[in-house]
Amino acid sequence: MKLRIAALLSAVALSLPAAAQPPAIKAPTLAYDQYKLPNGLQVIFTEDKSLPLVSVNVWYHVGAVNERPGLTGFAHLFEHMMFEGSKNVGEKNHFKYLEAAGASDINGSTNFDRTNYFETVPSNQLELALWLESDRMGFLLDTLDRAKLTNQRDVVRNERRQSTENQPYGVVEEALYGNLFPEPHPYHGVVIGSHKDIEAARLNDVRNFFKTYYAPNNATVVIAGSFDKAQAKALVEKYFGPLKKGGEIPKLNVDTPAITTEKRQTVTDTVQLERVYFAWLTPKAYAAGDAEMDFAADVLGGGRSSRMYKKLVYEQQVAQAATCANESAQAASVFECEITARPGVKAADLEKAANAVLDDFLENGATPEEIERARTKTIAGLIRPLERIGRVADRLNYYNHFTGDPGYLPKDIARYQNADSATIMKYARDLLASNHRVVIYGVPGKKVIDDVARSPENTDADVKIEKEYTAEFEATQAWRKSAPKAGPLPAFTLPVPQTFTLANGLKVYVNENHKLPLFAANLVSLSGASQDPAGKPGIAGFAAAMLTEGTKSRSSSAIADQTGDLALGLSGVAGYDALTVSVSGLTTKLDNAFDLFSDVALRPAFDQKEVDRVRARRLTQLLQQRDQPPAVAQQVGAAALFGPASAYGHNLLGTPASVKEVTSADLTAFYTTSVGPKNSALVLSGDITLANARALATKYFGGWTGTAAVAAPPAAPAAATKRVIVVDKPGAPQTALYAFQLGLPRSTADYVPVVVMNTMLGDLFSSRINMNLREEHGYTYGASSRFTFRRGNGPFLAGASVRTDVTAPAAKELMHELTRIRTEPLSDAELTMARDSYARSLPGEFETNAGIVGSTGNIFAYGLPVDYYRSLPAKINAVTAKQAAEAATSYLHPEQMILVAVGDKAKIEPGLKELNIAPIEEWTLDAEPVK
């Protein structure tokens, strides 16, 4: 079966008045082939030769919707088990093979309705990906033992602590779904399940689950990217053809009870601000009304142009944030609004204000402008993900799962194209009534967690594992024991941008990328927080946040509306070394986009009324950071490492005192003196030509004047003294545990050897730190390390969020690995893996226009040669064992590291004292020493 999508975006133009018709859109083409193996496995191919990448995307049609009461979280737990090593691949080798091959995207995920596994690899490694996926589909059970299950139960429970219990409002959101879907509905609670049910999972349960659902006849494999179809078909037959068809998949019979009376609950959490959730049940994915409720969600809470934002956040200023979304699913969809209060605003008052917005919408309906805005944004949102070949593969699998038609994209667009005001409002009025909803208040208070003890050590000791296959069948599959050899390396050179300079000194970098009718552009100025005036930390970030809040000719609301009308991404953000204004969207809207983009970047108003409003928002953001232990740990580490006087040591948001003191005049002075054409670059990528880019740059930025020059980065502080800092967060289920040390500037000559060394220390899943803390000990969901390279010396940090009761042993293991990398250099195998992973994954950074402008912006920001990325693979492959070893001994110094632990002090401090790493001091959640 073949489908070719033509004129895909032409539908966008049909909804606009004649005077507003955009130029014709060059439609993307998406062709696919589909067939089925005798064992029931569905196979879908789609080719894209634009990059030497291929994505393998496997969907098993099983999720939380298939779980039984008492085994919640089971589908997700099994997702983890699939990475533990199958018979021929070997224990914990799945990631190692892929990372060594240069995979740029490896993972799996589970939701209510499906489980997926995916990898994007260099095109010569397709056979490797198919070997790995087929081996765990067909040969997992012989190696699935109780030790692996015990380890992954620990990992998944750490993930629950990290993603739900240690996240602000995580337990509140769990209560929301608990009310929407009463037990025994499979959507009750969260996909990850409860501690009790995760811990109750037993080896026979796992094995039976696999036999039932992880069979070829319950799976679909999509191969997308640069490959030969005939060869791929032969490989699919080779690897998946011998696998036996499973039994009949149990039919789903899920009854979702209607909500006929409003349900309400108040949940306490260790948060700073009160929050209100509204939620309703809406039609199933792709059922009548599903698309219309997407429109309603966008009008009510889809960004800065939405009703909730304008009324609650912008005008009344009772909310810090307000969003709505319609989450489509198989058994029932959920329409959810999430409104976070400003300090001092009570949930009841916030609900009253939100109800007034909702009531007005239901009574008076959406305006034609709001509907067209939602239509444009939604259709553009269907196109943007197609930049990534992995997302193309996932989209085909998504459509196949929910509609049975992988080529549903044009029909999907038609759903939104055909929705009209009357139909949208009919569904909204029927479904969003107050007696059909759940209302949850999340308020400050004690976090209640239902944790349970680990299972006894002898759990499942009596389970006997019997071989899955006969000796005769296994003999026919003996060839699987060896990993396939990679094909010839694909011929590919990383792009070199075209460049020119305007008369005013503005540098322009252009990357032509004609794959889709999309573009991205960044205006990068070498300013940022490193140029914050003395005594006024946070000015750069404040100025960047103000750019979309009004210009000399456009109000904040007008900018929000036009951004939505054009379906643009538009933002201003300041890092430590640069202030960047970004825009992205459809090239059919390019001229209008640049008109808005340049106005925001060059003519900000910094109106005092808007300054006061954004000031209140930023003060609240500072308050909210206290709810996020990893963010607190990183802020404490930076302040301790660099000192409060250094621009690299202060919070990008500033301090409460500095934010309160900022004036319009301060922001105007900062922006005009530190941002100008002489210290900036305009970076473009997309479906544009050099001539287009020159015309746009000249028209919209050629008249820009200014004398701002490139300033020196902050000076490096003296080396730190070994310290341990504890930040008390009572009741925290995890400890954010990180070691900090002074790092290196991006300009260091040893940049590539340092990155290669750190790749195996803590940058890969298969890195030493992660394999120790996660896979060997089960202390965490994930651990890592990184050098944060800046124009000056940035920080090095390594660590993880770990279970509270293992804070001390986790700290011991972390410091052990940071010492061992100096005394036990990378082995030959580790060095090869680090080099290959780094070099071969580089094309993945150039899949999207955003990735291209980001990488190209680094060329400007760090003074790199214009052909830097083209020459980078050779430099990576040239790194020697001696250079990698010297990188560790020269630039990692455990005796100078600051260990920061943000968690429940009463529970973690005694163990840290026993380690005797260094004297312990206490700091506050605001990154200040306790006096």
Side-chain angles (χ1 to χ4, degrees):
M1 177 181 181
K2 285 193 176 183
L3 173 73
R4 187 165 295 277
I5 296 172
L8 184 61
L9 295 181
S10 60
V12 179
L14 299 179
S15 66
L16 299 175
Q21 291 288 332
I25 298 170
K26 185 170 70 175
T29 299
L30 184 60
Y32 73 87
D33 296 285
Q34 181 182 25
Y35 67 99
K36 187 179 286 189
L37 294 183
N39 59 15
L41 180 72
Q42 295 182 75
V43 184
I44 301 170
F45 291 161
T46 183
E47 288 185 279
D48 179 349
K49 306 285 190 181
S50 58
L51 284 171
L53 299 173
V54 63
S55 180
V56 175
N57 186 289
V58 182
W59 276 38
Y60 292 91
H61 304 285
V62 56
V65 73
N66 303 92
E67 292 171 349
R68 295 184 283 115
L71 287 177
T72 63
F74 207 79
H76 174 261
L77 173 63
F78 202 83
E79 174 210 319
H80 281 250
M81 300 306 300
M82 287 282 277
F83 285 100
E84 285 303 285
S86 49
K87 181 173 184 176
N88 299 295
V89 171
E91 187 171 347
K92 301 188 188 298
N93 281 339
H94 192 95
F95 273 98
K96 290 180 181 178
Y97 276 116
L98 289 170
E99 287 175 331
S104 55
D105 195 14
I106 320 166
N107 216 327
S109 71
T110 309
N111 65 21
F112 285 128
D113 301 323
R114 62 94 186 109
T115 306
N116 72 347
Y117 301 90
F118 51 89
E119 51 272 324
T120 299
V121 295
S123 56
N124 66 319
Q125 296 284 3
L126 172 61
E127 188 171 1
L128 174 71
L130 295 177
W131 174 66
L132 292 167
E133 292 295 351
S134 66
D135 205 61
R136 61 181 172 184
M137 181 184 287
F139 300 90
L140 186 81
L141 287 187
D142 284 356
T143 67
L144 207 164
D145 57 24
R146 68 190 189 97
K148 290 177 181 176
L149 178 57
T150 299
N151 175 268
Q152 289 309 302
R153 276 199 305 255
D154 286 343
V155 169
V156 170
R157 292 181 65 189
N158 282 324
E159 181 182 1
R160 178 184 163 83
R161 295 181 183 103
Q162 182 171 319
S163 63
T164 299
E165 296 163 358
N166 215 30
Q167 283 293 318
Y169 309 100
V171 294
V172 186
E173 292 173 7
E174 188 168 17
L176 179 71
Y177 272 78
N179 279 276
L180 283 166
F181 303 103
E183 290 186 292
H185 197 286
Y187 288 4
H188 181 79
V190 290
V191 172
I192 201 169
S194 67
H195 282 291
K196 179 182 176 182
D197 286 359
I198 296 167
E199 198 58 46
R202 294 294 176 257
L203 190 55
N204 278 331
D205 296 325
V206 171
R207 296 176 67 81
N208 290 332
F209 192 85
F210 178 87
K211 290 177 181 179
T212 302
Y213 293 108
Y214 278 75
N217 50 305
N218 197 42
T220 305
V221 177
V222 175
I223 300 175
S226 181
F227 63 96
D228 177 84
K229 283 192 288 188
Q231 181 188 42
K233 192 167 185 177
L235 289 173
V236 168
E237 176 60 39
K238 173 183 177 180
Y239 285 102
F240 291 94
L243 305 184
K244 306 303 182 186
K245 182 177 182 177
E248 288 299 315
I249 307 301
K251 298 220 178 281
L252 283 173
N253 185 20
V254 179
D255 178 36
T256 302
I259 298 172
T260 56
T261 303
E262 183 180 77
K263 298 182 181 183
R264 306 182 70 88
Q265 185 180 351
T266 297
V267 181
T268 56
D269 196 0
T270 51
V271 293
Q272 305 294 325
L273 306 173
E274 301 199 3
R275 179 179 282 181
V276 175
Y277 291 87
F278 297 150
W280 297 261
L281 298 177
T282 53
K284 300 175 183 179
Y286 298 100
D290 179 47
E292 284 77 7
M293 296 311 293
D294 287 345
F295 275 73
D298 190 83
V299 172
L300 273 173
R304 293 178 65 232
S305 61
S306 68
R307 297 274 186 99
M308 291 281 190
Y309 185 95
K310 286 183 175 179
K311 287 293 183 184
L312 306 182
V313 179
Y314 185 80
E315 294 177 13
Q316 299 174 23
Q317 299 185 42
V318 294
Q320 175 72 359
T323 60
C324 298
N326 186 50
E327 299 293 336
S328 301
Q330 188 170 316
S333 300
V334 175
F335 189 108
E336 178 183 330
C337 292
E338 175 188 299
I339 307 120
T340 306
R342 280 283 174 88
V345 177
K346 293 297 182 184
D349 296 325
L350 190 62
E351 180 190 354
K352 183 179 179 181
N355 279 336
V357 178
L358 179 61
D359 291 344
D360 178 67
F361 169 71
L362 295 178
E363 181 178 349
N364 298 312
T367 67
E369 292 79 12
E370 287 175 321
I371 291 175
E372 291 310 316
R373 184 178 301 136
R375 196 188 317 276
T376 304
K377 288 167 63 178
T378 302
I379 294 174
L382 291 172
I383 307 308
R384 290 185 188 213
L386 302 181
E387 287 188 281
R388 286 193 182 277
I389 197 62
R391 295 293 296 276
V392 171
D394 206 60
R395 177 70 62 81
L396 291 171
N397 245 331
Y398 183 89
Y399 286 143
N400 181 63
H401 178 88
F402 282 103
T403 74
D405 177 6
Y408 193 78
L409 184 55
K411 298 175 188 175
D412 203 3
I413 289 175
R415 291 195 307 151
Y416 298 103
Q417 191 57 52
N418 295 333
D420 57 37
S421 177
T423 313
I424 292 166
M425 294 314 304
K426 176 188 178 300
Y427 281 107
R429 289 174 179 132
D430 288 346
L431 296 167
L432 301 183
S434 60
N435 62 320
H436 296 330
R437 74 181 180 181
V438 170
V439 180
I440 304 289
Y441 287 1
V443 300
K446 183 179 180 181
K447 186 193 296 282
V448 179
I449 298 171
D450 186 18
D451 211 327
V452 298
R454 293 178 79 225
S455 301
E457 289 298 320
N458 65 346
T459 297
D460 286 327
D462 58 344
V463 174
K464 299 215 174 4
I465 298 177
E466 297 181 1
K467 286 185 173 293
E468 284 301 301
Y469 300 114
T470 64
E472 290 78 11
F473 178 78
E474 289 194 352
T476 68
Q477 302 299 304
W479 54 270
R480 293 181 183 269
K481 294 187 183 300
S482 299
K485 291 188 175 10
L489 280 171
F492 179 75
T493 52
L494 295 171
V496 175
Q498 303 174 84
T499 64
F500 59 89
T501 303
L502 299 184
N504 59 6
L506 179 68
K507 294 181 174 64
V508 183
Y509 296 77
V510 183
N511 296 272
E512 294 189 35
N513 178 21
H514 301 291
K515 177 179 174 181
L516 289 166
L518 299 171
F519 80 95
N522 284 352
L523 182 69
V524 183
S525 300
L526 299 184
S527 176
S530 61
Q531 303 307 309
D532 282 346
K536 294 184 178 179
I539 287 275
F542 204 138
M546 287 297 303
L547 298 180
T548 55
E549 300 293 349
T551 69
K552 300 293 195 302
S553 60
R554 288 177 169 95
S555 68
S556 177
S557 293
I559 292 171
D561 287 348
Q562 191 174 359
T563 301
D565 292 338
L566 299 172
L568 298 177
L570 180 68
S571 65
V573 64
Y576 284 100
D577 286 332
L579 189 151
T580 303
V581 191
S582 301
V583 66
S584 61
L586 297 166
T587 47
T588 51
K589 316 279 188 175
L590 195 56
D591 202 66
N592 290 337
F594 262 71
D595 183 63
L596 178 60
F597 173 44
S598 62
D599 195 34
V600 160
L602 307 187
R603 291 173 286 278
F606 299 120
D607 178 79
Q608 188 62 52
K609 179 182 175 183
E610 301 292 352
V611 170
D612 291 339
R613 183 177 59 80
V614 173
R615 183 200 322 281
R617 186 176 76 205
R618 292 178 75 78
L619 287 169
T620 305
Q621 287 173 323
L622 281 167
L623 197 62
Q624 289 176 296
Q625 278 191 348
R626 296 161 58 95
D627 294 337
Q628 302 168 35
V632 171
Q634 293 186 40
Q635 199 52 57
V636 169
L641 187 62
F642 292 100
S646 170
Y648 283 174
H650 70 240
N651 195 324
L652 287 170
L653 285 167
T655 65
S658 68
V659 173
K660 289 175 183 176
E661 294 171 359
V662 172
T663 66
S664 172
D666 290 332
L667 296 171
T668 301
F670 170 82
Y671 200 71
T672 55
T673 58
S674 68
V675 177
K678 292 181 173 57
N679 72 341
S680 300
L682 177 63
V683 186
L684 301 94
S685 176
D687 191 19
I688 55 175
T689 65
L690 181 63
N692 294 149
R694 190 182 297 276
L696 287 166
T698 302
K699 178 178 178 180
Y700 291 107
F701 291 91
W704 186 20
T705 60
T707 59
V710 177
T721 303
K722 199 171 190 178
R723 306 151 71 182
V724 176
I725 298 175
V726 172
V727 180
D728 191 18
K729 194 164 177 58
Q734 285 187 314
T735 301
L737 182 70
Y738 290 90
F740 294 82
Q741 180 210 286
L742 188 64
L744 305 167
R746 179 62 181 80
S747 59
T748 177
D750 290 332
Y751 172 82
V752 172
V754 167
V755 173
V756 168
M757 177 273 296
N758 185 65
T759 296
M760 280 311 302
L761 173 63
D763 192 48
L764 297 178
F765 181 93
S766 306
S767 66
R768 291 184 178 187
I769 290 175
N770 191 60
M771 294 303 287
N772 182 327
L773 270 67
R774 171 179 158 138
E775 293 299 303
E776 181 179 346
H777 289 100
Y779 292 156
T780 180
Y781 176 52
S784 62
S785 66
R786 73 173 184 267
F787 284 85
T788 302
F789 293 98
R790 296 177 184 159
R791 293 181 62 235
N793 291 70
F796 166 83
L797 65 157
S801 289
V802 302
R803 205 169 71 231
T804 296
D805 64 317
V806 298
T807 299
K812 181 179 179 181
E813 293 301 324
L814 176 63
M815 298 308 295
H816 165 70
E817 292 297 347
L818 293 172
T819 300
R820 185 167 77 93
I821 192 67
R822 292 166 48 86
T823 58
E824 295 179 31
L826 300 185
S827 66
D828 290 343
E830 286 178 314
L831 177 62
T832 299
M833 182 176 182
R835 287 187 310 216
D836 288 349
S837 176
Y838 183 14
R840 295 175 184 178
S841 64
L842 283 172
E845 296 184 20
F846 295 84
E847 275 198 274
T848 68
N849 288 312
I852 293 169
V853 296
S855 295
T856 306
N858 288 337
I859 288 176
F860 167 73
Y862 302 117
L864 304 174
V866 73
D867 64 348
Y868 173 77
Y869 290 102
R870 181 161 293 182
S871 61
L872 182 56
K875 293 176 182 177
I876 296 168
N877 292 325
V879 172
T880 64
K882 182 172 182 286
Q883 288 174 316
E886 289 175 348
T889 56
S890 299
Y891 301 117
L892 287 176
H893 302 286
E895 74 281 1
Q896 297 173 3
M897 290 185 182
I898 301 170
L899 185 68
V900 177
V902 181
D904 192 324
K905 177 186 174 185
K907 295 178 180 177
I908 67 176
E909 188 174 51
L912 291 173
K913 281 184 177 178
E914 288 181 11
L915 290 180
N916 198 28
I917 294 173
I920 295 177
E921 53 194 90
E922 185 177 354
W923 284 41
T924 71
L925 292 166
D926 295 315
E928 296 176 345
V930 172
K931 296 178 181 178

